[in-house]
Amino acid sequence: MRRREFMTLVGGAIITWPFAGGAQAAKLYRIGILSPERPPPGLVDALRQGLRELGYVEGQNIAFEVRSAEGYGPQLAALANQLVELKIDVILAVNIPSVQAAKKASATIPIVMMRTADPVKSGLVASLSRPGGNITGLSFMVDELSGKRLALLKEALPSVSRVAVLWYEPNPGADIVVSAMQAASRELGIELLLLPVHGPTDLIGAFQAASNGRVEALILVEDTVATRHMVEILNMAAKNSLAVVSQYKAFAEAGALMAYGPSLPAMYHQAAHYLDRILKGAHAGDLPVEQPSKFDLVINLKTAKALGVTIPESLLLRADEVIE
């Protein structure tokens, strides 16, 4: 083989490597990420890793267009329209308001949803097995998660009888979570004090109500308000000697007593498989909605000691991480 022919062959191999089936030119797929707040770098890295394992290389055959509302939910509609105008190939929508905005902006661009509470009850899909329309993705198991978190709290604090639930009322998925929490509380004999807030200015009043209500613990229904004001919420809880239980590991790392919920990095990694199937031609509405595959139980012993709580050894042995 002559040198010129050899170089042509090698060059062709490099160009077609990212694609199966002998494509002659690299196509650059564009993924839009629509989020109510800037996604943490670690989560986006988990998504990138999942895509790399499937043969996608950023800048070669895939590119991201990230649009964040920076905590201002009403901006999601305009950001979704921006992504549609860019004619991207698929939208990764991070929560229910993001999915709703993307769905309103386009009925044809595939949407992969994340971190959604019961997409059927939320009206996003027709069913989990056959979503229909242009939406599929991952959903939290709200009923199971709510019951499990309350049961873990009861195991950590056997005498607990009154628990506050704090959530951002305008969040469209919050009602579903709170209803599931109420059902689980009845089975466990726990009385709930509901503390809906409409913004950070309501937090002081909510904690005053928790103090007046003589609650012993606080369960958070996480959303952008909770995450953006995590330190403030945990400081108030500490001042009121309240054990905080969260869904997200980051809260336990920051001072909550306990966290139990899906591993967010694992969910973003799992989302890569949806993106891959859609980019290869699958119709979003034909792909069943999946549940998270990995869960984290994190216990903060430092917080437990500050609260004068002794965590049972049986619970510590089941924890994925114990913070000391």
Side-chain angles (χ1 to χ4, degrees), residues 33-37 67 69 71-81 83 91-105 111-119 122-124 135 140 168-176 222-225 248:
I33 299 179
L34 183 62
S35 176
E37 55 189 349
R67 295 294 183 274
Y72 183 63
Q75 194 177 1
L76 285 169
L79 297 175
N81 288 331
L83 293 175
I91 296 174
L92 182 69
V94 169
N95 66 352
I96 289 179
S98 300
V99 179
Q100 290 174 332
K103 182 180 181 180
K104 186 175 181 180
I111 300 167
V112 174
M113 62 185 172
M114 301 278 292
R115 296 159 64 176
T116 55
D118 200 324
S122 300
L124 300 176
I135 300 175
F140 287 151
Y168 179 54
E169 195 166 30
N171 180 351
D175 287 345
I176 298 171
E222 288 81 357
D223 55 24
T224 54
V225 171
Y248 295 140

Side-chain angles (χ1 to χ4, degrees), residues 2-319:
R2 285 181 288 183
R3 183 175 183 276
R4 180 183 230 170
E5 293 171 342
F6 175 75
M7 292 301 292
T8 301
L9 178 58
V10 171
I14 291 173
I15 291 173
T16 60
W17 171 253
F19 301 91
Q24 294 302 307
K27 174 176 172 58
L28 182 69
Y29 294 103
R30 289 195 293 171
I31 296 174
I33 299 179
L34 183 62
S35 176
E37 55 189 349
R38 191 173 299 279
L43 300 184
V44 178
D45 287 344
L47 176 66
R48 287 191 176 102
Q49 177 62 32
L51 288 167
R52 277 196 298 269
E53 293 170 5
L54 295 167
Y56 298 92
V57 179
E58 191 172 1
Q60 292 184 20
N61 57 354
I62 199 165
F64 294 105
E65 293 285 349
V66 181
R67 295 294 183 274
S68 165
E70 303 292 348
Y72 183 63
Q75 194 177 1
L76 285 169
L79 297 175
N81 288 331
Q82 286 181 20
L83 293 175
V84 171
E85 290 170 4
L86 291 173
K87 301 186 186 304
I88 59 171
D89 295 286
V90 59
I91 296 174
L92 182 69
V94 169
N95 66 352
I96 289 179
S98 300
V99 179
Q100 290 174 332
K103 182 180 181 180
K104 186 175 181 180
S106 175
T108 56
I109 294 176
I111 300 167
V112 174
M113 62 185 172
M114 301 278 292
R115 296 159 64 176
T116 55
D118 200 324
V120 177
K121 289 182 182 177
S122 300
L124 300 176
V125 300
S127 72
L128 298 182
S129 58
R130 297 283 294 182
N134 61 325
I135 300 175
T136 187
L138 298 156
S139 169
F140 287 151
M141 300 180 290
V142 175
D143 293 343
E144 294 90 335
L145 274 178
S146 300
K148 183 67 173 178
R149 277 196 286 168
L150 273 175
L152 288 168
L153 173 60
K154 186 74 173 178
E155 188 174 351
L157 304 173
S159 64
V160 70
S161 61
R162 286 179 60 77
V163 176
V165 181
L166 179 68
W167 80 96
Y168 179 54
E169 195 166 30
N171 180 351
D175 287 345
I176 298 171
V177 179
V178 174
S179 294
M181 198 80 67
Q182 288 175 308
S185 70
R186 288 190 288 270
E187 294 182 7
L188 292 165
I190 294 175
E191 183 181 352
L192 296 184
L193 174 64
L194 305 183
L195 301 174
V197 298
H198 287 82
T201 55
D202 292 341
L203 290 174
I204 294 176
F207 275 94
Q208 184 61 55
S211 177
N212 294 340
R214 300 183 182 279
V215 300
E216 302 144 277
L218 172 72
I219 289 185
L220 290 174
V221 179
E222 288 81 357
D223 55 24
T224 54
V225 171
T227 54
R228 288 175 73 87
H229 299 276
M230 177 176 66
V231 174
E232 183 180 355
I233 289 171
L234 292 176
N235 285 341
M236 289 185 187
K239 289 178 182 178
N240 287 275
S241 298
L242 288 178
V244 177
V245 179
S246 170
Q247 180 169 281
Y248 295 140
K249 177 180 178 180
F251 277 80
E253 292 173 335
L257 175 66
M258 184 188 310
Y260 177 76
S263 166
L264 292 183
M267 287 188 72
Y268 276 76
H269 188 276
Q270 194 174 350
H273 292 270
Y274 275 104
L275 298 174
D276 174 55
R277 283 178 282 179
I278 289 170
L279 294 178
K280 288 178 177 174
H283 190 272
D286 295 334
L287 299 176
V289 175
E290 294 180 3
Q291 306 294 347
S293 58
K294 185 178 184 299
F295 294 81
D296 291 324
L297 171 59
V298 183
I299 298 172
N300 191 320
L301 273 187
K302 183 178 178 181
T303 298
K305 291 174 183 176
L307 292 169
V309 172
T310 300
I311 304 295
E313 188 68 20
S314 59
L315 186 55
L316 292 174
L317 290 173
R318 300 204 310 275

